[in-house]
Amino acid sequence: MPVGLIALALGGFGIGLTEFVIMGLLPEVAADFRVSEASAGWFISGYALAVVVGALGLTAAVSRFQRKPVLALLLVLFIVGNLLSAIAPDYWAMMAGRVVAALAHGAFFGIGAVVAAGMVEPTKKAAAIAIMFTGLTAANVLGVPLGTLLGQAAGWRSTFWAITGIGVLALIGILALVPKAGSGDTASSGLRSELRAFRSGQVWLSILVTVLGYGGMFGAFTYIAFTLTEVSGFAASTVPWLLIVFGVGLFVGNTLGGRAADRDVDRTLLAVLAVLVVVLVVFALSAGNQVLTIASLLLLGGFGFATVPGLQMRVMKYAAKAPTLASGANIGAFNVGNALGAWLGGVTITAGLGYTSPIWAGAAITLLGLVVMVGAAARAKATARRAAVAFPTAEPAPGALGPTGASVQTEAADVEPAAAR
């Protein structure tokens, strides 16, 4: 494993902690700024919206530059944002800090995924992306509970000081450990080339699957505390520990999902999304049973996050000549999915459908994502068959590599004539 992936994962850990730890500190933050919890909730919503803006706008703005220094500058932006949050004298200063930190989020993961994939051989690209996203899963498993405890014990600002320190360590790691050259550190050919990648129908289908597949999981998770206490009957004090079970599922799913996607990305996504739909349905039906609820939390995290490396890899695959902006757009799509799932779950609760209704809504969204994925995979197979007919070649020897270093069979599957896009 290239040591540079550790630096990328550390950056992902800090960014994931910034995004999620605020959820456990909202009461303290609201009390300090003397605002309602609903107003404090905008520190979460505002962050998510800024992630989308940064994933698209900031990634496009830096598309001509070498990726390593861009990652370093993004971490500087992240450090500044969290420093502003730590010293914020009022509500709007805190909001500014959240927005500044969020702008780095989408671009860091989007560009970082390209850099991570470029640091390894072609057959290990999804696994490399999964290692980078391990930082995000670790933030959920360990970072959020520990950050919440630190904030409750020493004041919420202490948590943001700690995150600022993590950002500094990640910056040092990026500068010291990420290679200066290589396929993952090569600047793109420019914004026009990056935008050209969006001519591919498969890029758009992949982004849509990201919105729906991840949105379904997050929609069920957003209101999970209410489900656990009001339906499953757990005490409120046990919720943080139950969320660690969910986080363990994220960690395992991310790792195994990346390995499986390296073997066959479309087949992996089809299988994982199908199982995720089943998990959500079973969870909704059995939420009143505490043992089954714990098992469902583990499986929800596992299969929900097992989609992430494959979804990111699929977008980069079909935007192969200019993957940076498409990769960033897919990070934005994850956050659009978050917003969609959370909104639809809230609608069902407001409609009086109960605290299992967000899980049912998540199952419906994920099922729709599965349908889109079935169509995308079928279209990809049809395109590969047409390419094989149009450009017949001699049967390669087992394991033979094409000019990009990928297998000849894989390269043929990547061909997407303009007429099919």
Side-chain angles (χ1 to χ4, degrees), residues 212-213 216 276-277 280-281 344 357-371:
L212 297 172
L276 182 57
V277 172
L280 286 164
V281 170
L344 189 57
S357 60
I359 305 176
W360 285 111
I365 298 172
T366 304
L367 179 60
L368 186 56
L370 175 61
V371 171

Side-chain angles (χ1 to χ4, degrees), residues 44-332:
I44 299 171
S45 302
Y47 185 98
L49 293 174
V51 169
V52 178
V53 173
L56 296 173
L58 198 54
T59 303
V62 299
S63 62
R64 286 185 175 272
F65 300 101
Q66 293 289 314
R67 291 171 183 140
K68 177 178 176 177
V70 166
L71 286 174
L73 288 174
L74 289 172
L75 281 175
V76 170
L77 192 65
F78 169 79
I79 292 167
V80 170
N82 281 286
L83 182 60
L84 286 174
S85 295
I87 64 175
D90 55 38
Y91 178 90
W92 290 110
M94 175 72 172
M95 182 65 76
R98 294 288 291 167
V99 169
V100 169
L103 290 174
H105 181 129
F108 181 86
F109 278 112
I111 297 171
V114 177
V115 172
M119 291 168 65
V120 298
E121 58 189 85
T123 58
K124 296 182 179 179
K125 290 181 180 294
I129 294 172
I131 290 174
M132 186 190 73
F133 277 95
T134 296
L136 186 61
T137 62
N140 281 277
V141 178
L142 298 175
V144 171
L146 293 177
T148 301
L149 290 173
L150 174 62
Q152 291 174 343
W156 65 266
R157 295 177 188 274
S158 64
T159 300
F160 285 92
W161 280 111
I163 296 172
T164 301
I166 291 171
V168 172
L169 290 177
L171 174 60
I172 294 172
I174 293 288
L175 294 174
L177 302 178
V178 172
K180 292 183 179 180
S183 61
D185 190 40
T186 304
S188 76
S189 53
L191 181 58
R192 182 175 297 179
S193 176
E194 293 287 343
L195 290 173
R196 194 175 296 125
F198 290 95
R199 294 179 182 177
S200 169
Q202 287 290 353
V203 168
W204 286 106
L205 287 171
S206 300
I207 289 174
L208 182 57
V209 174
T210 295
V211 171
L212 297 172
Y214 194 73
M217 185 273 286
F218 199 85
F221 177 69
T222 300
Y223 301 95
I224 197 67
F226 295 102
T227 305
L228 294 174
T229 56
E230 302 299 325
V231 180
S232 305
F234 288 104
S237 59
T238 66
V239 171
W241 305 107
L242 291 171
L243 295 184
I244 292 178
V245 174
F246 177 82
V248 170
L250 294 183
F251 184 86
V252 175
N254 176 64
T255 302
L256 298 182
R259 293 176 183 175
D262 272 326
R263 292 192 291 270
D264 191 318
V265 65
D266 280 6
R267 187 173 296 175
T268 295
L269 289 173
L270 288 169
V272 170
L273 287 170
V275 176
L276 182 57
V277 172
V278 174
V279 169
L280 286 164
V281 170
V282 172
F283 189 11
L285 291 172
S286 63
N289 183 299
Q290 292 188 346
V291 173
L292 292 179
T293 293
I294 293 173
S296 295
L297 278 176
L298 181 66
L299 294 173
L300 177 62
F303 286 98
F305 221 82
T307 61
V308 173
L311 288 169
Q312 195 69 15
M313 186 63 201
R314 196 174 198 278
V315 167
M316 291 165 55
K317 170 183 176 181
Y318 287 103
K321 293 184 178 179
T324 306
L325 185 57
S327 179
N330 201 50
I331 298 298

